Amino acid sequence: MDIDDTIKRIRNRDISRRDLNKALASVGLATVAMPLTSRRGLAEEQAIYYTWSGYDIPELWPSYLEMHGEPPETPIFGDAEESFVKVRAGYVVDVMHPCSNNVPRWRHAGVLQAIDVSRLSNWGDVVPALKTVKDGVFGDEHWFIPFEWGQTSVTYRTDLFDLAGEEESWGMLWDERYAGRLSIIDAAEDSWWCAAIYAGIDTDNLTDADIQKVFDLLVQQQKLLLFRQSDMTTVEQALASGELAAAMTWNSSPLTLTREGVPVKFANVKEGALTWVCGMVLTADAPHYDKAHDLLNAMIAPEVGKFIIEDYGYGHSNSKAFQLVSDDELFARGLTSDPMEILGAGTFLQAQTEDIEQKINRDWGELIAMI
Amino acid sequence: MSEPTAVSTGSGVAPMGTPLRWWRRLILRNEAVRGYTLLSPTLFLMTLALGAPVFFLFLVSFFTQDLLEISTDFSLENYMSFLGKENYQKLLWRSLKVSGFVTVLSVVLAYPMAYFIAFRVRKNKFAWLILITVPFWTSYLLRVFAWKIVLGHNGVINSGLTELGFIEEPLTFLLYNPFAVVLTLAHAWAAFAIMPIYVSLEKIDRSLLEAARDLGDGPAMRFWRVTLPLSMAGVVAASLLVFIPTVGDFVTPTMVGGPKGTLIGNLIQIQFGKANNWPLGAALSVISLIAITAVVCAFLWFTKRVRTQEL
């Protein structure tokens, strides 16, 4: 049946119902059958990278995209402990993104497996001190690929927060004058440790009395807080609007705010900042073992490091990345080309015994019930 | 196919060969069995999806957790820690109070809307009902966020008042406190209050209202003595529909509550997450379950008393 011929017949009402139905049925059948004949093969499965929001962008894995044509899957978590609990409960992923202090406990829980660094062509360029970061290496096995590193300190509005001649200090977040205009990060990993630094306790040998002392400080601080932020956008907006006078942040926030012309400063606290290195771990039952390694390698490439430094303001683990960024740009971010200058200067976030970690996490849970 | 003689009607015990016939007879004779058979798909789902989880929650609440190990030895430790910690009790009390305010606010706001649709709207009632649900076509999170924009430091209210010169400094009591939680929840659950009240108002026999007028009641007395008592069923249903789910809410307090607006749901959530203490979380859930049940029972008892006294 020719199409023009059919149209003509319909127009002239010179078509039987049976013929019209036949024509319609053939069109319907063709429509239904079309995807069957021309469908491409199902998209190949990609590595699953369970991460923080903001780490799910293509800039972080250019070489992976090149190799596999598709980005990895990137489900997102609110904080690392949440991802751990979910993966233990049976959520299947390949790569997760904790900080180094979590690795021993996660490893002990049987969630992780060692990473074959011989498959990572960029591994040789990784800063040696980060390669061998204490919590990531067991024997001669690497269980952790360092990615970004930085500091946690106080970001404050230079026009709103009056230091009154005092030095910059963690005490700024306990300043009664700014009650209701302060905030901290809603994670024990940051906030508990910063309170510990402020308390002046020896974080290498924590005792029950020390933990109690930190808890009391946190209870005292609770009344002064406007909120505890679980995402950096909230705190950056609140600092920009002047709702907050000072807040605990990572070193990316002051960079973002300064770019927007907000008068803020990342305090060089006298007690020392909290320094940390975060990165990737491989899950014990990773379903895409090979692709996961491709992803890990893609993420520690120098050009990814350049992006992390320039856009996020964090340090990166690849030493060559620092050569791609000018010294001025590094300085503006509070970085130097030698990560150890910064990581060594503050208190480094490191794993504690499991008992102590449990106490800290449960204290943190207890704290939200403090009215 | 089966021999009719195989079933002796008087014996009461069916022979093994004919279970189907035995079942049919049971159904025909016993009304309760018929009812339960009809209900069985729902009952099965309820047992599986609601009964079993609640039972396990109850069970886990008597366990203890150390690190990653959950010890299944019977222990009252979690319940004792609730009784021993004044803060936990205060938090539960605050949650009940906040939900109480949310319930009152949403019912009070929903009643006039339901009344309007039931009595004043003559045409296209259905369209009006759909219109009421329009704000609920967006995600719950987006609605909470919208309130953040309205109440925020340089949000709609603050910038508006500053522009008009009423205030110099932005008002700080709008966001990050229990007030913001109450307001947000009351808005988020409004539709659940409007619908049952509307249904009960719609059902009222209009001749009763005419009778009240003929017998000399003014509009106010007529509402008080006829409309309100007859729509009480809807008000009670609306109150329960709003009160019960809001006690355990943790999303709204997380986003607009700040430390002052934390509710019991936040404490429970943190036990299943960061604090990694599932048994304590389970015990807290069971305790709030009991508290909610107690409040609901007291409420039902009270409304029943009020209604029977009036009649």
Side-chain angles (χ1 to χ4, degrees):
Chain A
M1 228 190 299
D2 184 85
I3 184 75
D4 292 329
D5 185 39
T6 313
I7 292 171
K8 209 178 281 169
R9 282 176 67 194
I10 294 174
R11 210 175 271 153
N12 300 338
R13 314 217 168 184
D14 177 28
I15 188 165
S16 72
R17 189 201 304 206
R18 180 173 293 219
D19 277 346
L20 181 66
N21 278 347
K22 223 191 264 174
L24 285 176
S26 63
V27 170
L29 195 68
T31 319
V32 173
M34 197 122 53
L36 288 178
T37 51
S38 65
R39 183 187 287 170
R40 289 165 50 203
L42 270 179
E44 213 179 320
E45 280 190 33
Q46 298 300 329
I48 308 167
Y49 170 42
Y50 194 20
T51 189
W52 307 82
S53 89
Y55 289 88
D56 49 350
I57 50 172
E59 283 85 344
L60 302 189
W61 43 74
S63 74
Y64 183 93
L65 265 180
E66 225 166 79
M67 284 174 81
H68 300 291
E70 295 275 330
E73 270 186 59
T74 49
I76 286 179
F77 56 71
D79 72 273
E81 195 61 28
E82 177 197 325
S83 70
F84 171 61
V85 172
K86 285 196 182 155
V87 168
R88 268 197 75 227
Y91 186 42
V92 177
V93 299
D94 294 298
V95 176
M96 294 161 79
H97 194 149
C99 295
S100 64
N101 65 308
N102 288 318
V103 179
R105 196 162 47 93
W106 292 16
R107 175 178 172 263
H108 188 227
V111 169
L112 308 182
Q113 63 172 311
I115 295 159
D116 183 359
V117 289
S118 67
R119 286 163 168 253
L120 312 179
S121 61
N122 289 318
W123 181 247
D125 300 331
V126 171
V127 177
L130 295 178
K131 260 186 196 170
T132 56
V133 64
K134 189 184 122 217
D135 295 326
V137 186
F138 300 88
D140 50 7
E141 286 180 334
H142 292 273
W143 289 62
F144 172 74
I145 302 297
F147 181 64
E148 88 281 28
W149 52 270
Q151 293 169 289
T152 307
S153 183
V154 182
T155 298
Y156 66 102
R157 284 282 295 255
T158 47
D159 53 339
L160 297 178
F161 198 101
D162 181 12
L163 280 169
E166 301 270 324
E167 266 182 275
E168 293 171 335
S169 140
W170 280 114
M172 293 164 80
L173 293 179
W174 273 265
D175 196 326
E176 305 260 349
R177 292 178 302 160
Y178 296 97
R181 302 184 68 186
L182 305 170
S183 89
I184 60 172
I185 298 172
D186 192 8
E189 278 175 303
D190 286 293
S191 294
W192 194 93
W193 283 93
C194 293
I197 299 172
Y198 180 50
I201 56 180
D202 175 12
T203 49
D204 289 331
N205 302 294
L206 285 174
T207 64
D208 283 353
D210 289 337
I211 293 176
Q212 186 59 40
K213 193 174 168 190
V214 175
F215 184 68
D216 292 342
L217 269 178
L218 286 169
V219 171
Q220 191 190 327
Q221 186 186 45
Q222 179 90 341
K223 296 182 200 77
L224 307 174
L225 299 176
L226 181 63
F227 55 69
R228 290 186 290 184
Q229 77 265 10
S230 46
D231 65 297
M232 286 299 140
T233 318
T234 308
V235 72
E236 283 162 16
Q237 282 170 356
L239 277 168
S241 71
E243 192 174 12
L244 291 176
M248 178 189 297
T249 71
W250 301 313
N251 46 328
S252 62
S253 295
L255 178 69
T256 316
L257 288 166
T258 311
R259 273 187 196 154
E260 286 170 16
V262 182
V264 291
K265 186 165 181 274
F266 195 53
N268 186 9
V269 287
K270 66 177 180 200
E271 299 90 349
L274 179 71
T275 54
W276 40 261
V277 53
C278 302
M280 289 76 73
V281 290
L282 187 63
T283 59
D285 314 310
H288 315 100
Y289 185 84
D290 296 328
K291 282 185 176 165
H293 279 86
D294 293 341
L295 176 67
L296 294 175
N297 192 43
M299 291 181 69
I300 54 172
E303 62 275 15
V304 175
K306 180 172 186 282
F307 176 81
I308 286 287
I309 296 168
E310 288 185 343
D311 277 65
Y312 282 20
Y314 297 127
H316 186 259
S317 55
N318 194 310
S319 55
K320 282 189 179 160
F322 291 85
Q323 292 157 20
L324 301 175
V325 183
S326 73
D327 283 348
D328 288 347
E329 293 277 307
L330 284 177
F331 182 75
R333 287 154 183 75
L335 298 172
T336 63
S337 52
D338 178 12
M340 292 328 286
E341 259 179 54
I342 288 162
L343 292 174
T347 300
F348 188 68
L349 176 65
Q350 53 185 325
Q352 299 291 324
T353 64
E354 302 198 348
D355 278 332
I356 290 180
E357 298 235 339
Q358 169 162 301
K359 268 196 194 109
I360 293 173
N361 278 330
R362 288 200 175 167
D363 268 5
W364 186 250
E366 197 81 352
L367 198 65
I368 72 155
M370 291 292 162
I371 301 167
Chain B
M1 277 188 271
S2 60
E3 311 252 329
T5 46
V7 183
S8 59
T9 31
S11 75
V13 182
M16 292 299 285
T18 58
L20 206 66
R21 291 187 64 149
W22 170 77
W23 179 243
R24 280 182 60 130
R25 226 176 49 206
L26 201 67
I27 282 182
L28 289 175
R29 277 196 190 160
N30 195 330
E31 210 169 313
V33 172
R34 229 179 308 163
Y36 281 117
T37 312
L38 201 61
L39 269 179
S40 61
T42 322
L43 269 182
F44 176 73
L45 192 71
M46 286 290 269
T47 323
L48 204 74
L50 186 73
V54 170
F55 171 75
F56 281 115
L57 193 75
F58 191 68
L59 202 66
V60 170
S61 72
F62 293 105
F63 296 165
T64 48
Q65 181 169 12
D66 191 36
L67 303 176
L68 301 172
E69 299 301 318
I70 292 186
S71 146
T72 50
D73 297 336
F74 178 85
S75 153
L76 284 173
E77 193 187 304
N78 302 311
Y79 290 95
M80 295 316 268
S81 85
F82 177 81
L83 292 176
K85 281 181 183 150
E86 213 184 315
N87 287 309
Y88 287 10
Q89 297 159 21
K90 275 193 195 160
L91 203 60
L92 179 61
W93 179 232
R94 182 202 273 173
S95 310
L96 294 173
K97 265 197 306 195
V98 163
S99 291
F101 281 122
V102 172
T103 311
V104 172
L105 192 64
S106 46
V107 168
V108 165
L109 291 177
Y111 201 96
M113 281 194 258
Y115 190 91
F116 179 78
I117 298 175
F119 289 111
R120 292 280 173 270
V121 176
R122 305 249 175 259
K123 275 195 253 168
N124 300 328
K125 268 194 190 185
F126 190 66
W128 276 82
L129 285 176
I130 297 288
L131 271 181
I132 281 180
T133 64
V134 166
F136 304 92
W137 295 2
T138 56
S139 130
Y140 178 55
L141 279 179
L142 271 181
R143 274 176 281 141
V144 180
F145 238 95
W147 276 107
K148 246 178 132 161
I149 292 168
V150 173
L151 300 173
H153 185 76
N154 42 11
V156 178
I157 294 180
N158 273 327
S159 52
L161 289 178
T162 321
E163 278 298 309
L164 293 170
F166 288 125
I167 48 169
E168 300 265 300
E169 285 284 301
L171 306 170
T172 53
F173 62 83
L174 293 175
L175 196 56
Y176 301 120
N177 53 33
F179 164 77
V181 178
V182 170
L183 198 62
T184 310
L185 283 175
H187 171 241
W189 290 87
F192 294 88
I194 296 174
M195 293 303 168
I197 297 177
Y198 163 76
V199 171
S200 67
L201 285 171
E202 184 67 31
K203 274 198 316 198
I204 294 177
D205 187 347
R206 301 299 194 269
S207 56
L208 292 174
L209 299 175
E210 278 172 33
R213 199 165 50 201
D214 292 347
L215 293 170
D217 267 352
M221 278 313 275
R222 193 181 58 176
F223 173 78
W224 183 246
R225 299 211 302 186
V226 181
T227 316
L228 187 62
L230 287 176
S231 62
M232 255 339 248
V235 172
V236 170
S239 307
L240 297 184
L241 275 179
V242 175
F243 181 78
I244 295 171
T246 50
V247 177
D249 192 275
F250 68 91
V251 177
T252 303
T254 305
M255 289 174 73
V256 299
K260 292 188 213 81
T262 311
L263 300 184
I264 192 85
N266 299 95
L267 186 64
I268 293 172
Q269 190 237 357
I270 212 168
Q271 301 307 329
F272 285 98
K274 291 171 198 172
N276 228 324
N277 196 349
W278 288 27
L280 180 59
L284 290 170
S285 308
V286 170
I287 290 167
S288 23
L289 201 70
I290 294 169
I292 294 169
T293 313
V295 172
V296 167
C297 287
F299 176 70
L300 288 177
W301 175 79
F302 178 75
T303 47
K304 198 176 172 191
R305 248 192 76 158
V306 170
R307 282 163 82 185
T308 46
Q309 270 179 356
E310 274 196 10
L311 287 175

